[in-house]
Amino acid sequence: MASEHSNASKVSALVAATALSAIPLSFAGPQILRLTVIGLFLLAGPGTALILVLNPARIRKGTGIDVIPLAVAIAVSFSLAMAILLATAMLFTGFWYPSAAVCCLAVMTLGALAAAERRFRRTGPVSAVTSQTGRRRSTP
Amino acid sequence: MVVQSPWKSSTRRVDRSDVGVATISETGPTAPRPAQHLADRGNPRAPVMFATMAAAALVLGVWALKTVNVQDIGGAGLIQVLPPTYFVALGMSLAGFVGSLGLKVLRPWLLVVQLLVLIIVLHGADPIIHDLPRLEASYRHLGIADYISQSGGLNRKLDAYFNWPGFFGLLAILSDATGVHDLTWAATWAPIGVNVLLLPALLALALRLSSNPRQAWAGVWMFYLASWVGQDYLSPQACALLLLLTLLACVLTVFPGWPWKRTGKLSSRIRGFVRRVEIGRPAAVKLDLSRTGYIVLAAVCAVLLAGMTVAHQLTPFAAIPVLGLLALSGNSRLWFLPVLALLLPVCWLVFAATPFLLGHLQTLFGSLGNINAAASASLLNRVGGSPAHQFIVYSRLAEAAVIWFLAGLGSLQGRRSRRPWLAAALGTVAPFVMFPLQSYGGELLLRIYLFSLPFAACLVVLPLLPRGPEPPGARRMGALLLLGSVIATSTVTARYGNDAIETFTPDEIALASRLYSIAPHGTVLIEAVHDTAWRFNDYAGYRYETLLQAEPAKPGDAPPSCASITELVPSTGAYLIVTASQIHAAEILNTGPAEGLEHLIDRCALQGGWSMEFRNAGGEIYHLPGAPHGI
C-alpha cells in the first residue's frame, strides 16, 4: 500500500514540478529549457493529473497492460485536447496570451493534483477508488 | 534446523491478460526449479537476444538510410535507391518482433522496443534521409502557426485552415510560450513523433478488439506495417487521429455494453442478432472506478470530440459512423456520444466556420450522394502520370485492397472460431459511409483507409494467432513473418513512392526564403507547379497563385502556355518560382507541357522579358513585369 502511494506520489510530484516550472518559464528563461518543460507539460501534464485524480486501482497496483496503454493515451490526448480547446477559445475571443494559456493549464493541473492528494489522504488507497458516497462500483 | 527445499515451493500458473500465461510463486522468495522455470518462462536469453536484434536493426537501418543518395531518387521513389542493408535491417526488425511475440511469456517492454525500432526504420526514413519536413503542406502548416503567433488572430476568409484553427493554435502557443519560433524541427521529425504518440492509443484499442494480448500486439504491428498513407506529418489530421483513437479505445474499454435497456421488439432483435453473429465477445475490463470516475471519463470523451472538431474538418465526421455502429452493436453504452459527434461538427460548420461554409457550399454539398464523382476523384483521376508513378498508385490501391480482403477473411475466421471480431469489422467498414458524401479533394479513399486501418489490422492477424494466450507455433510465426515482410515491402514502395515530389532540398528552402526577401509585401507569387516548400513565412502577406496542380493531367486539359502564366500576373507584376521538385512533379505526373516545364519557362522568359532575380541548385526566381491589362 505504501509503495502504491509512493509511486503515485512520485508521478504526482513530477507533474506538479513540471506545472510549477512551466508558469515562470512561459514568460522567460533559456529557450531549450522552456521548450523541454512547456513542451512536456502541454503534451502530458493535465492528462496525467486527470489520471491521478481517477486513480484506478489496477494502475496503482501496476497490473493490467490493458489499462496502462489507455491511461497513457488519455493522459496525452486529454492534454492536447485541452490545449487545443483553450487555444481555439483564445483565438475566437481575441484574447491571445499564450503564456496565460500555459499558466491556466498549469493551475488546473495543480488543482487536480491537490484534489487527488487530498482525496487520498482522506480516504486511503482502497477507498480512493470508490464513489464519494462510499459505494464501490465494479465494471458494469 | 529446517531447510526449505526449493522443490516444495508451490507455483501457480495464471492466465494474465497482460503477459499471457505466467507462473506465480506462492511461497515468496523461494525460487522455482531451474528446469521448471525454463519450461514455464522459456529461455531467459531469448528476450536479450531479441532486444539485441532490435538494436542491431536500428543501427543498421539508420546507417543504411544515411547512405542514400538523394539525387538518385526518381519516379518510383525511395524503393529504387534503398541499399540492400536497409531491407536486412527491416527484416531483422520484423523477425525480432515476431520472435518476441512468440516468447512463452509476453514481455511488453520488449514488444514496445521492437515497435519503436520498426517506427524509426519504416516511418522515419524521410527525416533521417532528408533532415527536412516532408510535403509542401508541412511548410504551409508552419506558416499558419507563424501567422497566429505573430498576429494573435485568425484570417477566416483566407482559407479553410483558419476555420479549424485548434491544432495551429496549439503550435502557436508552443512557439510563443517557449520562445522557439522556428518549429521546422518539429515538422521534420513529426512522422516518428506522431507514430510513437499513436502507440498507446492503438494498443489500448487493439486490446479491446482482440481475443488475447498477442493478437493485440500483432494488430498494432500490422497497423505500422500497412500504414502507407503518410498522414503522420505535422498536421491537424494526425493530431485528430490520435484523439479519435483514444476516444474509441476509451469507449470500448470503459463503456462497453448496450446504450438502451432490454425493452421493445427492435431492441431484443438487435441484441439477438449481435449475439448470434458474435459468440465470443471480449470480457469486460475491470477498472474499479467510482461512479464519479465514469462520469469524468464520459466528459473526457466529450472533450476529445470537441478537440477533434475544432482541429480538423474530416475526422469528427469519421467518428460519427464508428460511434454509431459501436452503440448499435452493444459496444458502447454512451448513447449520447454518436449524437454529440454529429452535433458538434455540424454546429461548428454552421456557427464557427461560417465564412468557409458560405464560400464552399458547392464543394461541400455539390457531390453529395454522387458515388461516381467520388470514385472518379479518389481512384480514376489518381491513376496517371509516368509508368513508374502509375506503378506506385496501383501498389497503393493493391495494398489497401489486400488489407481489406484479409480483414474480411479475419472476420470470417473470428466468427467461425468464436473470437471477438464484430467491433473490429464494424470499425473497418464504418468509414466507408463517408465515401458518397464528397471527394475531399480526391483524398477520401486514402483517408477512409487510414481510419479503418487500426481496426482492419487486428482482423488481418487474427487467423495467424491462436485463440488462447499460448504462444503461436513455428508455422504460425513463419506465416506472420512472411505476411509482415510482404506488407512492409509494399509499404516502403507505396509510402515513399512520391518521394521525389514530396521532399525538398535545403537549396529549395533557401530559394523560397530568398523569394520572401526579394518580393515586396502584397505581391503576387506564382509557383509553376503546386509543389513548393513555401508559405512558412508571411502566410497572409502575399497573394499566392499556382500554374499547374500536382496531379496527373486529365484528358481534355489544356496544356500550359506563356499566356496561361501571363493571365496570373497583375498590372503591378509578379514573381514566379520554379523549383527542382516542381520539375520532377511535372515529369512524374505528366502534367507539364509537351516540351517540358523548363523549356516552357525559358521560352516565356525570353518572350515576356522576365528578369531572373535569383538562381541556385534548388531552382529559379523570375520577376514578371505587369501586363497592361493584367488582373
Side-chain angles (χ1 to χ4, degrees):
Chain A
M1 185 177 100
S3 70
E4 286 166 16
H5 183 220
S6 156
N7 285 340
S9 297
K10 275 180 199 162
V11 176
S12 185
L14 194 67
V15 176
T18 313
L20 274 173
S21 320
I23 294 174
L25 285 173
S26 66
F27 294 96
Q31 267 192 2
I32 189 75
L33 184 66
R34 293 171 78 184
L35 182 65
T36 310
V37 173
I38 296 174
L40 275 176
F41 172 70
L42 290 176
L43 187 67
T48 310
L50 176 88
I51 294 295
L52 288 167
V53 169
L54 289 173
N55 198 20
R58 296 194 66 197
I59 290 183
R60 267 190 306 111
K61 289 172 189 164
T63 60
I65 199 163
D66 45 351
V67 181
I68 292 169
L70 181 64
V72 177
I74 288 176
V76 172
S77 297
F78 181 75
S79 304
L80 292 178
M82 286 303 288
I84 283 172
L85 288 171
L86 194 58
T88 308
M90 285 167 64
L91 285 169
F92 272 82
T93 53
F95 180 83
W96 181 253
Y97 292 101
S99 301
V102 173
C103 292
C104 177
L105 289 170
V107 169
M108 280 167 55
T109 304
L110 291 169
L113 291 173
E117 187 63 22
R118 204 171 127 229
R119 203 168 77 167
F120 185 89
R121 281 177 196 280
R122 200 176 53 197
T123 57
V126 175
S127 47
V129 297
T130 59
S131 67
Q132 293 189 341
T133 57
R135 189 158 53 96
R136 192 182 180 86
R137 287 260 306 208
S138 59
T139 307
Chain B
M1 192 175 77
V2 179
V3 178
Q4 191 185 8
S5 162
W7 317 122
K8 286 183 180 173
S9 66
S10 76
T11 54
R12 184 165 59 95
R13 295 185 76 185
V14 292
D15 176 10
R16 265 176 55 175
S17 59
D18 54 342
V19 293
V21 177
T23 305
I24 292 177
S25 172
E26 300 283 9
T27 51
T30 315
R33 193 167 53 172
Q36 182 64 41
H37 179 81
L38 271 184
D40 285 341
R41 293 186 60 86
N43 187 351
R45 286 183 193 160
V48 180
M49 189 184 79
F50 290 127
T52 312
M53 211 165 159
L58 178 67
V59 172
L60 194 64
V62 172
W63 176 76
L65 289 171
K66 283 280 180 197
T67 61
V68 166
N69 185 0
V70 180
Q71 305 297 326
D72 295 340
I73 299 172
L78 215 53
I79 190 97
Q80 63 192 105
V81 295
L82 285 170
T85 42
Y86 175 79
F87 293 97
V88 173
L90 189 58
M92 282 168 69
S93 164
L94 301 182
F97 180 86
V98 173
S100 306
L101 193 72
L103 290 175
K104 275 202 161 183
V105 176
L106 272 187
R107 278 147 177 107
W109 67 267
L110 184 58
L111 291 163
V112 168
V113 167
Q114 299 288 357
L115 287 175
L116 291 178
V117 170
L118 178 69
I119 288 170
I120 294 170
V121 173
L122 188 56
H123 296 286
D126 266 334
I128 292 170
I129 293 173
H130 302 282
D131 200 18
L132 274 173
R134 188 182 131 258
L135 287 171
E136 54 86 23
S138 294
Y139 296 87
R140 256 187 293 150
H141 294 173
L142 289 175
I144 298 163
D146 177 66
Y147 175 89
I148 292 174
S149 174
Q150 300 282 332
S151 69
L154 299 170
N155 189 342
R156 288 161 64 204
K157 287 186 180 163
L158 191 63
D159 58 36
Y161 291 117
F162 288 103
N163 291 281
W164 283 270
F167 176 71
F168 304 110
L170 171 69
L171 289 184
I173 284 185
L174 181 72
S175 165
D176 275 354
T178 60
V180 179
H181 295 293
D182 183 6
L183 296 177
T184 309
W185 58 272
T188 302
W189 294 98
I192 293 177
V194 167
N195 281 300
V196 170
L197 287 179
L198 287 177
L199 179 54
L202 282 167
L203 186 59
L205 182 65
L207 283 163
R208 295 306 301 150
L209 301 173
S210 311
S211 61
N212 63 64
R214 286 182 208 272
Q215 189 194 337
W217 284 101
V220 175
W221 179 66
M222 188 51 67
F223 171 88
Y224 287 122
L225 290 183
S227 178
W228 57 261
V229 180
Q231 293 296 312
D232 48 11
Y233 60 103
L234 192 74
S235 61
Q237 58 264 40
C239 181
L241 180 68
L242 172 65
L243 302 189
L244 175 66
L245 293 178
T246 306
L247 167 72
L248 296 174
C250 186
V251 166
L252 286 168
T253 311
V254 184
F255 303 102
W258 293 93
W260 59 78
K261 288 179 182 160
R262 191 195 295 258
T263 50
K265 244 183 187 178
L266 185 65
S267 160
S268 300
R269 273 187 189 172
I270 293 175
R271 279 171 185 251
F273 176 73
V274 168
R275 209 168 292 142
R276 272 199 305 281
V277 296
E278 190 180 39
I279 297 156
R281 294 214 123 195
V285 178
K286 263 196 162 184
L287 289 170
D288 291 336
L289 275 175
S290 65
R291 187 180 173 77
T292 319
Y294 283 104
I295 294 169
V296 169
L297 282 174
V300 166
C301 290
V303 167
L304 296 180
L305 261 181
M308 243 187 284
T309 302
V310 302
H312 192 230
Q313 52 272 63
L314 183 68
T315 311
F317 288 100
I320 301 166
V322 184
L323 288 169
L325 285 175
L326 289 180
L328 281 174
S329 59
N331 284 297
S332 165
R333 281 187 289 132
L334 299 180
W335 60 267
F336 69 89
L337 216 52
V339 180
L340 193 66
L342 177 67
L343 280 178
L344 279 177
V346 170
C347 288
W348 184 265
L349 192 61
V350 174
F351 298 114
T354 322
F356 176 81
L357 179 68
L358 294 177
H360 296 83
L361 282 171
Q362 178 61 26
T363 317
L364 285 171
F365 305 111
S367 58
L368 198 70
N370 189 345
I371 294 178
N372 277 345
S376 295
S378 297
L379 286 168
L380 303 179
N381 295 349
R382 297 238 147 201
V383 181
S386 66
H389 180 69
Q390 287 188 31
F391 169 73
I392 297 300
V393 177
Y394 282 125
S395 70
R396 289 178 166 189
L397 293 173
E399 187 173 337
V402 165
I403 291 292
W404 280 324
F405 175 73
L406 291 177
L409 287 184
S411 301
L412 291 176
Q413 176 68 18
R415 173 160 158 64
R416 209 163 44 190
S417 59
R418 301 183 167 207
R419 290 154 73 174
W421 66 274
L422 188 61
L426 291 175
T428 304
V429 298
F432 281 93
V433 172
M434 295 190 296
F435 195 68
L437 298 182
Q438 63 149 301
S439 66
Y440 202 66
E443 283 193 6
L444 196 63
L445 198 62
L446 182 146
R447 302 298 177 99
I448 287 174
Y449 178 73
L450 179 65
F451 291 131
S452 79
L453 187 57
F455 297 91
C458 292
L459 292 171
V460 169
V461 297
L462 186 145
L464 299 175
L465 289 159
R467 187 181 171 190
E470 68 274 12
R475 202 179 291 177
R476 283 174 190 266
M477 282 167 65
L480 201 60
L481 185 58
L482 183 65
L483 178 68
S485 306
V486 172
I487 302 278
T489 310
S490 169
T491 295
V492 172
T493 309
R495 179 181 167 123
Y496 300 110
N498 289 337
D499 222 49
I501 303 172
E502 292 175 349
T503 56
F504 308 96
T505 60
D507 285 324
E508 287 179 70
I509 310 300
L511 188 76
S513 299
R514 187 60 184 252
L515 176 66
Y516 289 114
S517 63
I518 295 172
H521 263 239
T523 319
V524 170
L525 306 180
I526 305 170
E527 58 181 344
V529 180
H530 185 50
D531 186 34
T532 315
W534 66 352
R535 301 187 80 166
F536 48 84
N537 272 342
D538 286 310
Y539 192 83
Y542 296 90
R543 223 179 77 211
Y544 294 89
E545 297 285 353
T546 298
L547 177 64
L548 291 165
Q549 290 303 322
E551 55 190 40
K554 297 178 201 94
D557 280 359
S561 62
C562 297
S564 50
I565 300 174
T566 315
E567 277 173 17
L568 301 171
V569 181
S571 53
T572 51
Y575 288 85
L576 172 72
I577 182 167
V578 187
T579 65
S581 293
Q582 290 176 11
I583 290 164
H584 282 138
E587 283 169 7
I588 291 167
L589 301 169
N590 277 349
T591 191
E595 60 185 306
L597 188 63
E598 279 173 297
H599 279 117
L600 174 76
I601 299 294
D602 287 346
R603 189 163 55 78
C604 296
L606 208 63
Q607 285 175 6
W610 301 352
S611 57
M612 187 184 288
E613 298 290 319
F614 185 70
R615 178 182 201 156
N616 70 4
E620 295 151 356
I621 297 170
Y622 293 93
H623 178 251
L624 281 59
H629 304 294
I631 51 174

